[in-house]
């Protein structure tokens, strides 16, 4: 038991380090407040300062937050290390405002301008703060449930900013347009 604990204690920081996950916040003009965001930097990000990377914007489901993408970072690291996919940056921003813990990924009187926050403030901040490729074809959206709706919405209405979208269990309802 002691050996397992020591081995885990030694390997856990290596796993966390290899994923290069940053918990931080930035100021959103659209919302008028600081918002939490998790950034996943791919293996090799620190070793190759001249490289720039595509970005996947992860849009969480209702009741989730920026930490929801944590369940995918180990898989993402493994896929990069196994050369299944090219190295990418992944961004998970908090979209869980009160009172209902979900923004719907739209601008609203109740929650605030979450569409503007995600599409403009977040993308601009990521491009200014990290070595992203600041082009439409290097930006993708991946959403789960409510985030799947956001991925469809942003991918369709903001196709000048995002080049690829993927949705898991995302409802389609654009009656508000």
């Amino acid at each position: 038991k002691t050996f397992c604990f020591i081995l885990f204690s030694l390997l856990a920081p290596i796993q966390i380090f290899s994923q290069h996950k940053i918990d931080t916040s930035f100021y959103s003009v659209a919302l008028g407040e600081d918002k939490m965001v998790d950034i996943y930097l791919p293996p090799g990000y620190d070793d190759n300062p001249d490289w720039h990377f595509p970005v996947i914007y992860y849009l969480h489901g209702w009741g989730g937050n920026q930490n929801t993408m944590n369940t995918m970072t180990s898989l993402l690291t493994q896929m990069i290390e196994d050369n299944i996919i090219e190295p990418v940056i992944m961004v998970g921003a908090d979209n869980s405002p009160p009172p209902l813990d979900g923004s719907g990924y739209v601008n609203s009187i109740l929650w605030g301008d979450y569409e503007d926050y995600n599409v403009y403030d977040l993308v601009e901040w990521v491009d200014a703060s990290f070595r992203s490729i600041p082009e439409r074809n290097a930006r993708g959206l991946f959403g789960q449930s409510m985030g799947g709706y956001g991925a469809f919405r942003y991918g369709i209405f903001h196709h000048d900013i995002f080049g690829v979208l993927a949705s898991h269990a995302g409802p389609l309802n654009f009656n508000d347009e």
Side-chain angles (χ1 to χ4, degrees):
K1 289 181 184 179
T2 303
F3 176 75
C4 289
F5 176 75
I6 292 170
L7 183 61
F8 177 77
S9 297
L10 293 173
L11 292 178
I14 293 169
Q15 181 65 21
I16 292 167
F17 177 75
S18 71
Q19 291 182 7
H20 304 287
K21 190 174 130 326
I22 301 168
D23 298 312
T24 190
S25 65
F26 79 101
Y27 182 79
S28 166
V29 173
L31 297 175
E33 65 179 298
D34 284 333
K35 293 298 290 182
M36 294 300 299
V37 61
D38 282 359
I39 307 291
Y40 165 90
L41 300 175
Y45 182 89
D46 295 327
D47 300 331
N48 301 296
D50 295 330
W51 289 6
H52 288 72
F53 301 88
V55 179
I56 299 170
Y57 289 88
Y58 174 75
L59 308 179
H60 64 76
W62 201 279
N65 60 31
Q66 75 282 359
N67 295 317
T68 307
M69 82 169 199
N70 292 348
T71 59
M72 294 186 300
T73 57
S74 293
L75 177 61
L76 190 58
T77 297
Q78 192 62 53
M79 291 173 67
I80 292 168
E81 289 175 350
D82 290 345
N83 294 312
I84 295 170
I85 63 171
E86 295 292 320
V88 296
I89 295 169
M90 183 177 273
V91 177
D94 182 18
N95 282 275
S96 61
L100 302 173
D101 295 329
S103 68
Y105 292 97
V106 298
N107 291 339
S108 81
I109 295 169
L110 178 61
W111 296 299
D113 292 337
Y114 271 83
E115 185 164 346
D116 292 347
Y117 153 68
N118 284 289
V119 172
Y120 303 113
D121 295 351
L122 181 62
V123 171
E124 183 178 305
W125 177 76
V126 168
D127 287 345
S129 302
F130 300 94
R131 293 194 325 271
S132 62
I133 300 171
E135 299 172 5
R136 170 193 180 274
N137 289 333
R139 289 191 198 109
L141 298 160
F142 173 66
Q144 166 67 35
S145 189
M146 175 187 75
Y149 170 78
F152 276 127
R153 180 179 183 84
Y154 298 167
I156 292 169
F157 293 136
H158 302 284
H159 57 86
D160 57 321
I161 296 173
F162 302 101
V164 177
L165 71 88
S167 174
H168 182 258
L172 287 177
N173 180 0
F174 297 116
N175 291 334
D176 61 324
E177 294 299 318

